[in-house]
Amino acid sequence: MRTLTLHSNNLDRAWAEIHLANLGHNVKVLRNLLPHGCELMAVVKANAYGHGDVKIARYLNRIGVFSFAVATIEEGIRLRTYGIKGNILILGYTDPHRLPELVRYRLSQTVVDYKHAKQLNASEQPISVHIKIDTGMHRLGESCNNTAEIESIFQCRNLRVCGIYTHLYVADSTQEDDIAFTKEQLSDFYTLLEHLKQHRIKLPKMHIQSSYGILNYPELQCSYARIGIALYGVLSSPSNRTKIQPELRPVLSLKSRVVLIRQIVAGECVGYGRAFSASRNTRIAVLSIGYADGVPRSLSCGKGEVLIHGCRAPIIGRICMDQLMIDITDIHNVKRGDIATLLGEGGSEVITAEEVAAASETIANELLSRLGSRLERVYL
């Protein structure tokens, strides 16, 4: 992603503004929440949740962050190719035939189960790994009950076990039964660690928490905290209530320009399927952004809004691949070239990622990570 000025000719359509000062603020706030000895591991998978992985990681390097997590080997290679320093952990599965690339680019690989460990070990090339432990989510990881298999992973001579971790997958909930389940997960994980110690296995660095783990279970002692969505100043849902509520600042704003204004009369329709029919003489503006840029189509027909001249304007008709239409009848002096804000502040109003995600019946994580590649990222 290129760094552009706000006057760039490339900003005549749609773009995302990335506020690096807010990212730095969030890093400082989140570090202050970590237990002593715990290091922030920045999760920059999915193009850093839509923010631009290389630019984000470079900035984090500059402010002293040197531990990163990605989802795929391609994401890890990309960071190394652009000179990112520090530890890079691949959280997802990597096929053993790509082990030479893990070595070449100095990437740490998650061992997703005992069979995966044996396949990686068979290559005869030493690599750094973290062992994923399944404590109930049943996604990736060797079951915490399979202690013999986990011990065997530590005995693999070509695997340098640098970490062991699990995932608290209902840590975002403060409901009593979910808290009880999270405590069961922690008990199972700590029981496994104690078993390993009793069998004279030196424990590597340990990590448990993601964003919500830090916000709801800040007391947990660990070596790393894998922080994703909170790093970008956002929570997954506006309904989430956390034990700790730090002052985080959104890093990303999403904007587009008005490219056409037209007047329609009562009874005329707008957009595909004639989904909007004007009940009055209506002034509409066309914005040059659509669902191919990551704007959820489910925000069509009044379910979504944008900010223009500091006022909220409803989206009318169905969102198109490359454009959407808004009702500006009650907003004065809108003209071609004006900027509309889909995420972020406009005057005294603000539209948050959490708000838009809820209106789209999804979470902010998905909303941000699906922002399209043709959107320019402007780093401020």
Side-chain angles (χ1 to χ4, degrees):
M1 300 297 177
R2 289 171 288 167
T3 302
L4 304 174
T5 69
L6 286 176
H7 302 292
S8 168
N9 291 331
N10 293 297
L11 303 184
D12 57 359
R13 186 181 172 276
W15 66 95
E17 294 175 5
I18 312 300
H19 304 268
L20 293 174
N22 287 358
L23 179 62
H25 166 86
N26 295 340
V27 168
K28 182 178 180 179
V29 168
L30 291 165
R31 275 176 165 167
N32 287 337
L33 299 179
L34 300 180
H36 177 71
C38 181
E39 182 179 350
L40 187 152
M41 180 183 287
V43 182
V44 292
K45 62 182 179 177
N47 199 27
Y49 290 63
H51 293 67
D53 54 355
V54 171
K55 292 287 189 180
I56 292 295
R58 280 178 174 170
Y59 179 79
L60 291 172
N61 265 177
R62 289 202 300 273
I63 62 173
V65 175
F66 293 100
S67 291
F68 299 94
V70 296
T72 69
I73 187 172
E74 288 81 9
E75 291 177 338
I77 291 172
R78 175 175 161 81
L79 293 184
R80 281 286 188 245
T81 300
Y82 281 91
I84 302 306
K85 297 179 174 61
N87 299 315
I88 300 175
L89 171 64
I90 300 170
L91 298 174
Y93 173 81
T94 297
D95 192 284
H97 85 272
R98 303 195 68 177
L99 188 142
E101 294 170 277
L102 296 174
V103 174
R104 177 183 176 185
Y105 292 100
R106 306 181 316 283
L107 304 173
S108 296
Q109 174 59 44
T110 289
V111 171
V112 303
D113 66 0
Y114 177 49
K115 181 179 179 180
H116 190 215
K118 290 194 295 181
Q119 292 172 330
L120 292 170
N121 187 59
S123 70
E124 300 298 326
Q125 287 185 279
I127 61 168
S128 298
V129 300
H130 288 222
I131 303 172
K132 178 70 179 290
I133 304 299
D134 177 18
T135 54
M137 188 173 185
H138 304 320
R139 188 174 60 179
L140 300 180
E142 185 61 60
S143 171
C144 59
N145 298 317
N146 295 340
T147 54
E149 287 82 355
I150 295 168
E151 288 180 52
S152 296
I153 295 173
F154 279 93
Q155 306 308 321
C156 291
R157 63 189 181 93
N158 293 315
L159 303 185
R160 297 191 297 270
V161 180
C162 300
I164 187 168
Y165 72 101
T166 193
H167 186 49
L168 305 179
Y169 67 103
V170 289
D172 59 330
S173 173
T174 55
Q175 294 186 18
E176 189 173 330
D177 57 339
D178 287 330
I179 292 173
F181 185 85
T182 296
K183 290 181 178 179
E184 286 182 24
Q185 282 190 274
L186 290 167
S187 176
D188 290 343
F189 187 66
Y190 288 135
T191 297
L192 169 66
L193 297 184
E194 186 60 34
H195 172 89
L196 294 174
K197 285 194 293 185
Q198 291 177 359
H199 284 72
R200 301 182 184 278
I201 293 175
K202 183 179 179 180
L203 295 181
K205 292 186 175 182
M206 177 263 291
H207 42 114
I208 306 171
Q209 297 151 306
S210 55
S211 293
Y212 282 101
I214 285 296
L215 298 179
N216 282 327
Y217 301 90
E219 70 281 358
L220 297 179
Q221 295 294 319
C222 51
S223 306
Y224 297 110
R226 306 181 305 271
I227 301 181
I229 193 66
L231 188 66
Y232 307 103
V234 176
L235 296 183
S236 297
S237 167
S239 63
N240 290 144
R241 295 293 178 265
T242 55
K243 182 176 180 181
I244 295 178
Q245 298 180 15
E247 192 263 307
L248 300 174
R249 299 172 183 171
V251 175
L252 182 145
S253 300
L254 180 62
K255 300 185 177 182
S256 180
R257 289 196 189 273
V258 174
V259 296
L260 187 68
I261 295 173
R262 67 169 74 249
Q263 187 82 29
I264 62 172
V265 300
E268 288 192 305
C269 299
V270 174
Y272 284 114
R274 300 192 300 166
F276 172 83
S277 179
S279 61
R280 60 175 178 168
N281 293 344
T282 303
R283 193 165 179 251
I284 68 172
V286 180
L287 304 183
S288 52
I289 190 170
Y291 62 75
D293 301 294
V295 180
R297 192 168 179 265
S298 55
L299 295 176
S300 299
C301 301
K303 292 184 178 179
E305 296 177 313
V306 309
L307 301 177
I308 190 162
H309 288 198
C311 301
R312 287 182 176 253
I315 296 171
I316 58 174
R318 292 179 183 164
I319 294 172
C320 309
M321 180 179 284
D322 313 304
Q323 291 94 26
L324 60 83
M325 289 71 73
I326 60 174
D327 185 344
I328 56 168
T329 307
D330 299 321
I331 305 174
H332 302 298
N333 301 320
V334 177
K335 62 185 182 301
R336 184 182 306 207
D338 283 354
I339 295 174
T341 299
L342 291 86
L343 293 174
E345 298 179 359
S348 60
E349 288 278 358
V350 61
I351 294 179
T352 67
E354 295 94 331
E355 172 191 342
V356 175
S360 308
E361 298 184 354
T362 185
I363 57 174
N365 312 50
E366 179 184 7
L367 176 74
L368 294 173
S369 63
R370 289 182 64 181
L371 292 177
S373 59
R374 69 184 182 185
L375 288 171
E376 296 287 357
R377 270 68 172 178
V378 184
Y379 296 87
L380 306 177

